Amino acid sequence: GDQVEQSPSALSLHEGTGSALRCNFTTTMRAVQWFQQNSRGSLINLFYLASGTKENGRLKSTFNSKESYSTLHIRDAQLEDSGTYFCAAEANTNKVVFGTGTRLQVLP
Amino acid sequence: NAGVIQTPRHKVTGKGQEATLWCEPISGHSAVFWYRQTIVQGLEFLTYFRNQAPIDDSGMPKERFSAQMPNQSHSTLKIQSTQPQDSAVYLCASSLDAETLYFGSGTRLTVL
Protein backbone atom coordinates (compact mmCIF):
# COMPACT_ATOMS: atom_id res chain seq x y z
CA GLY A 1 0.00 0.00 0.00
CA ASP A 2 0.93 3.64 0.03
CA GLN A 3 3.66 4.30 2.53
CA VAL A 4 5.13 7.49 3.89
CA GLU A 5 8.47 7.29 5.67
CA GLN A 6 9.23 10.32 7.82
CA SER A 7 12.51 11.25 9.49
CA PRO A 8 13.82 12.00 11.98
CA SER A 9 11.36 10.69 14.54
CA ALA A 10 12.56 13.22 17.09
CA LEU A 11 14.62 16.39 16.94
CA SER A 12 15.95 18.88 19.46
CA LEU A 13 16.97 22.35 18.37
CA HIS A 14 18.25 25.33 20.26
CA GLU A 15 16.44 28.59 19.67
CA GLY A 16 17.75 30.37 16.60
CA THR A 17 19.00 27.26 14.85
CA GLY A 18 17.38 25.29 12.07
CA SER A 19 17.02 21.87 10.55
CA ALA A 20 15.11 19.86 7.97
CA LEU A 21 12.52 17.14 8.15
CA ARG A 22 12.05 14.70 5.33
CA CYS A 23 9.39 12.37 3.97
CA ASN A 24 10.00 9.66 1.41
CA PHE A 25 7.16 8.05 -0.50
CA THR A 26 7.09 4.49 -1.76
CA THR A 27 4.70 5.30 -4.60
CA THR A 28 4.06 8.32 -6.77
CA MET A 29 2.10 10.94 -4.88
CA ARG A 30 0.23 13.82 -6.45
CA ALA A 31 0.64 16.26 -3.56
CA VAL A 32 1.96 16.63 -0.04
CA GLN A 33 0.83 18.54 3.01
CA TRP A 34 2.70 19.40 6.19
CA PHE A 35 1.01 19.82 9.56
CA GLN A 36 2.04 20.88 13.02
CA GLN A 37 0.26 19.22 15.92
CA ASN A 38 0.41 21.43 18.97
CA SER A 39 0.27 20.53 22.65
CA ARG A 40 -3.54 20.60 22.57
CA GLY A 41 -3.60 18.06 19.78
CA SER A 42 -4.81 20.39 17.07
CA LEU A 43 -3.48 19.70 13.59
CA ILE A 44 -2.56 22.94 11.86
CA ASN A 45 -1.99 22.94 8.14
CA LEU A 46 1.35 24.49 7.21
CA PHE A 47 1.69 23.80 3.49
CA TYR A 48 -0.04 22.14 0.59
CA LEU A 49 2.21 21.46 -2.41
CA ALA A 50 1.51 19.78 -5.71
CA SER A 51 5.07 20.54 -6.80
CA GLY A 52 7.98 22.88 -6.20
CA THR A 53 8.72 24.99 -3.16
CA LYS A 54 6.68 27.18 -0.84
CA GLU A 55 7.88 29.44 1.89
CA ASN A 56 6.03 30.97 4.82
CA GLY A 57 8.01 32.94 7.35
CA ARG A 58 10.64 30.69 8.88
CA LEU A 59 9.29 27.59 7.19
CA LYS A 60 10.02 26.32 3.70
CA SER A 61 8.79 23.16 2.06
CA THR A 62 9.71 21.38 -1.13
CA PHE A 63 8.00 18.54 -2.94
CA ASN A 64 9.82 16.53 -5.58
CA SER A 65 7.23 14.19 -7.06
CA LYS A 66 9.65 12.54 -9.51
CA GLU A 67 12.07 11.53 -6.78
CA SER A 68 9.22 10.89 -4.31
CA TYR A 69 10.20 13.02 -1.38
CA SER A 70 9.32 16.19 0.43
CA THR A 71 11.19 18.30 2.94
CA LEU A 72 10.26 20.87 5.56
CA HIS A 73 12.95 23.33 6.59
CA ILE A 74 12.72 25.29 9.81
CA ARG A 75 15.07 28.20 10.36
CA ASP A 76 15.58 30.43 13.39
CA ALA A 77 13.58 28.02 15.55
CA GLN A 78 11.45 29.50 18.33
CA LEU A 79 10.06 27.89 21.46
CA GLU A 80 6.53 27.96 20.01
CA ASP A 81 7.68 25.78 17.11
CA SER A 82 7.82 22.83 19.49
CA GLY A 83 5.33 20.11 18.64
CA THR A 84 4.94 17.17 16.34
CA TYR A 85 5.21 17.70 12.61
CA PHE A 86 3.54 15.40 10.12
CA CYS A 87 3.75 15.11 6.41
CA ALA A 88 0.74 13.72 4.58
CA ALA A 89 0.85 12.52 1.02
CA GLU A 90 -2.04 12.45 -1.38
CA ALA A 91 -2.16 9.49 -3.70
CA ASN A 92 -3.70 9.63 -7.15
CA THR A 93 -6.90 8.30 -5.62
CA ASN A 94 -7.05 11.40 -3.36
CA LYS A 95 -6.47 9.22 -0.32
CA VAL A 96 -4.19 11.11 2.11
CA VAL A 97 -1.72 9.04 4.12
CA PHE A 98 0.27 10.41 7.05
CA GLY A 99 3.88 9.91 8.02
CA THR A 100 4.81 8.81 11.52
CA GLY A 101 5.65 12.31 12.67
CA THR A 102 8.69 14.21 13.95
CA ARG A 103 8.61 15.33 17.55
CA LEU A 104 10.40 18.68 17.65
CA GLN A 105 11.62 20.18 20.90
CA VAL A 106 13.03 23.71 20.78
CA LEU A 107 15.30 24.45 23.71
CA PRO A 108 16.12 27.89 25.11
CA ASN B 1 -16.26 30.12 9.76
CA ALA B 2 -16.23 27.84 12.79
CA GLY B 3 -13.96 25.27 11.20
CA VAL B 4 -14.59 21.56 11.34
CA ILE B 5 -16.71 20.71 14.35
CA GLN B 6 -16.49 17.33 16.02
CA THR B 7 -18.73 16.14 18.81
CA PRO B 8 -18.45 14.96 21.45
CA ARG B 9 -14.97 16.05 22.49
CA HIS B 10 -14.71 13.10 24.85
CA LYS B 11 -16.64 9.87 25.02
CA VAL B 12 -16.30 7.05 27.47
CA THR B 13 -18.04 3.77 26.74
CA GLY B 14 -18.12 0.36 28.28
CA LYS B 15 -16.85 -2.61 26.36
CA GLY B 16 -19.53 -3.87 24.00
CA GLN B 17 -21.44 -0.60 23.78
CA GLU B 18 -21.96 1.45 20.64
CA ALA B 19 -20.29 4.79 19.99
CA THR B 20 -21.32 7.37 17.39
CA LEU B 21 -18.99 10.21 16.54
CA TRP B 22 -20.14 13.29 14.66
CA CYS B 23 -18.39 15.60 12.26
CA GLU B 24 -19.62 18.83 10.72
CA PRO B 25 -17.34 19.85 7.85
CA ILE B 26 -16.62 23.41 6.82
CA SER B 27 -19.52 24.72 4.77
CA GLY B 28 -18.89 24.26 1.06
CA HIS B 29 -16.19 21.64 1.44
CA SER B 30 -16.78 18.64 -0.77
CA ALA B 31 -14.50 16.07 0.87
CA VAL B 32 -14.60 14.61 4.39
CA PHE B 33 -11.91 12.39 5.84
CA TRP B 34 -11.82 10.30 9.01
CA TYR B 35 -8.59 9.36 10.79
CA ARG B 36 -7.72 7.63 14.04
CA GLN B 37 -4.69 8.61 16.12
CA THR B 38 -2.98 6.50 18.74
CA ILE B 39 0.51 6.64 20.17
CA VAL B 40 1.34 3.20 18.79
CA GLN B 41 -0.19 3.43 15.30
CA GLY B 42 0.07 7.17 14.70
CA LEU B 43 -2.43 8.77 12.33
CA GLU B 44 -4.33 6.05 10.49
CA PHE B 45 -6.57 6.75 7.53
CA LEU B 46 -10.03 5.28 7.95
CA THR B 47 -12.29 6.50 5.17
CA TYR B 48 -13.21 9.43 3.00
CA PHE B 49 -16.22 10.88 1.21
CA ARG B 50 -16.46 13.18 -1.72
CA ASN B 51 -19.74 14.95 -2.42
CA GLN B 52 -21.28 12.67 0.23
CA ALA B 53 -20.31 9.52 -1.67
CA PRO B 54 -17.93 7.03 -0.03
CA ILE B 55 -14.75 6.95 -2.11
CA ASP B 56 -12.23 4.94 -0.13
CA ASP B 57 -12.89 3.01 3.06
CA SER B 58 -9.76 0.87 2.89
CA GLY B 59 -8.69 1.90 6.39
CA MET B 60 -11.91 0.93 8.10
CA PRO B 61 -11.89 -2.22 10.19
CA LYS B 62 -14.28 -4.48 8.31
CA GLU B 63 -16.34 -5.40 11.30
CA ARG B 64 -18.00 -3.02 13.75
CA PHE B 65 -16.97 0.23 12.02
CA SER B 66 -19.20 2.15 9.63
CA ALA B 67 -19.26 5.72 8.34
CA GLN B 68 -21.97 7.67 6.65
CA MET B 69 -22.53 11.10 5.19
CA PRO B 70 -26.25 11.55 4.82
CA ASN B 71 -25.99 15.21 3.82
CA GLN B 72 -23.43 17.93 3.12
CA SER B 73 -23.41 19.19 6.68
CA HIS B 74 -22.42 16.14 8.66
CA SER B 75 -20.77 12.76 8.71
CA THR B 76 -20.91 10.07 11.37
CA LEU B 77 -18.54 7.31 12.37
CA LYS B 78 -20.24 4.49 14.23
CA ILE B 79 -18.44 1.80 16.18
CA GLN B 80 -20.51 -1.15 17.29
CA SER B 81 -19.58 -3.40 20.20
CA THR B 82 -16.63 -1.17 21.18
CA GLN B 83 -13.45 -2.82 22.37
CA PRO B 84 -10.60 -1.36 24.47
CA GLN B 85 -8.34 -1.34 21.39
CA ASP B 86 -10.76 1.11 19.75
CA SER B 87 -9.66 3.75 22.26
CA ALA B 88 -8.09 6.58 20.29
CA VAL B 89 -8.57 10.14 19.15
CA TYR B 90 -10.81 10.13 16.10
CA LEU B 91 -10.15 13.04 13.78
CA CYS B 92 -12.32 14.40 11.03
CA ALA B 93 -11.06 16.69 8.29
CA SER B 94 -12.69 18.44 5.39
CA SER B 95 -11.30 19.97 2.25
CA LEU B 96 -12.33 21.81 -0.83
CA ASP B 97 -11.74 19.52 -3.81
CA ALA B 98 -9.62 17.15 -1.70
CA GLU B 99 -6.71 19.58 -1.35
CA THR B 100 -5.72 21.30 1.90
CA LEU B 101 -7.14 19.39 4.86
CA TYR B 102 -8.69 21.24 7.76
CA PHE B 103 -8.99 19.18 10.90
CA GLY B 104 -11.44 19.29 13.74
CA SER B 105 -10.30 19.05 17.35
CA GLY B 106 -11.07 15.35 17.46
CA THR B 107 -13.11 13.05 19.67
CA ARG B 108 -11.21 11.17 22.34
CA LEU B 109 -12.85 7.78 22.71
CA THR B 110 -12.08 5.72 25.78
CA VAL B 111 -13.42 2.18 25.96
CA LEU B 112 -13.29 0.73 29.45
Side-chain angles (χ1 to χ4, degrees):
Chain A
D2 302 322
Q3 293 290 332
V4 179
E5 300 163 352
Q6 186 171 347
S7 63
S9 57
L11 179 64
S12 290
L13 294 175
H14 285 283
E15 277 186 294
T17 64
S19 189
L21 286 57
R22 183 177 174 112
C23 282
N24 294 322
F25 315 120
T26 57
T27 60
T28 299
M29 299 294 184
R30 61 184 292 175
V32 69
Q33 304 184 51
W34 285 90
F35 295 86
Q36 179 195 28
Q37 189 167 39
N38 61 23
S39 58
R40 294 174 58 191
S42 298
L43 278 161
I44 301 162
N45 187 282
L46 300 174
F47 293 104
Y48 175 93
L49 298 101
S51 65
T53 298
K54 287 188 177 178
E55 194 163 354
N56 184 3
R58 298 177 289 102
L59 300 177
K60 182 171 73 173
S61 182
T62 296
F63 174 42
N64 187 321
S65 58
K66 285 185 180 178
E67 297 187 19
S68 295
Y69 75 89
S70 177
T71 57
L72 176 69
H73 292 260
I74 302 173
R75 63 175 175 84
D76 187 24
Q78 303 296 306
L79 294 176
E80 61 264 28
D81 295 334
S82 294
T84 303
Y85 290 78
F86 292 94
C87 67
E90 181 183 339
N92 289 331
T93 57
N94 293 138
K95 175 181 173 181
V96 179
V97 178
F98 277 76
T100 50
T102 297
R103 189 177 303 170
L104 172 65
Q105 183 181 28
V106 180
L107 305 170
Chain B
N1 186 346
V4 175
I5 299 172
Q6 287 189 250
T7 55
R9 289 297 306 275
H10 303 274
K11 186 169 182 66
V12 180
T13 66
K15 182 179 173 181
Q17 292 183 331
E18 182 179 287
T20 300
L21 312 180
W22 293 72
C23 173
E24 180 180 328
I26 293 172
S27 178
H29 280 195
S30 58
V32 169
F33 296 77
W34 284 96
Y35 291 85
R36 174 169 67 179
Q37 187 173 27
T38 61
I39 292 174
V40 173
Q41 298 292 335
L43 271 156
E44 297 177 277
F45 169 83
L46 295 176
T47 187
Y48 105 88
F49 297 84
R50 174 176 256 178
N51 296 322
Q52 298 173 235
I55 302 299
D56 186 333
D57 67 353
S58 58
M60 292 278 275
K62 294 309 176 191
E63 297 178 357
R64 303 187 297 106
F65 282 64
S66 62
Q68 294 174 341
M69 191 162 184
N71 56 56
Q72 288 181 345
S73 62
H74 85 274
S75 175
T76 57
L77 180 67
K78 184 180 292 187
I79 309 171
Q80 294 177 313
S81 185
T82 54
Q83 303 296 309
Q85 61 265 31
D86 298 333
S87 297
V89 176
Y90 289 81
L91 291 158
C92 175
S94 72
S95 72
L96 191 63
D97 296 329
E99 292 195 351
T100 302
L101 294 183
Y102 295 89
F103 278 87
S105 300
T107 294
R108 181 177 296 277
L109 175 66
T110 302
V111 182
L112 302 175

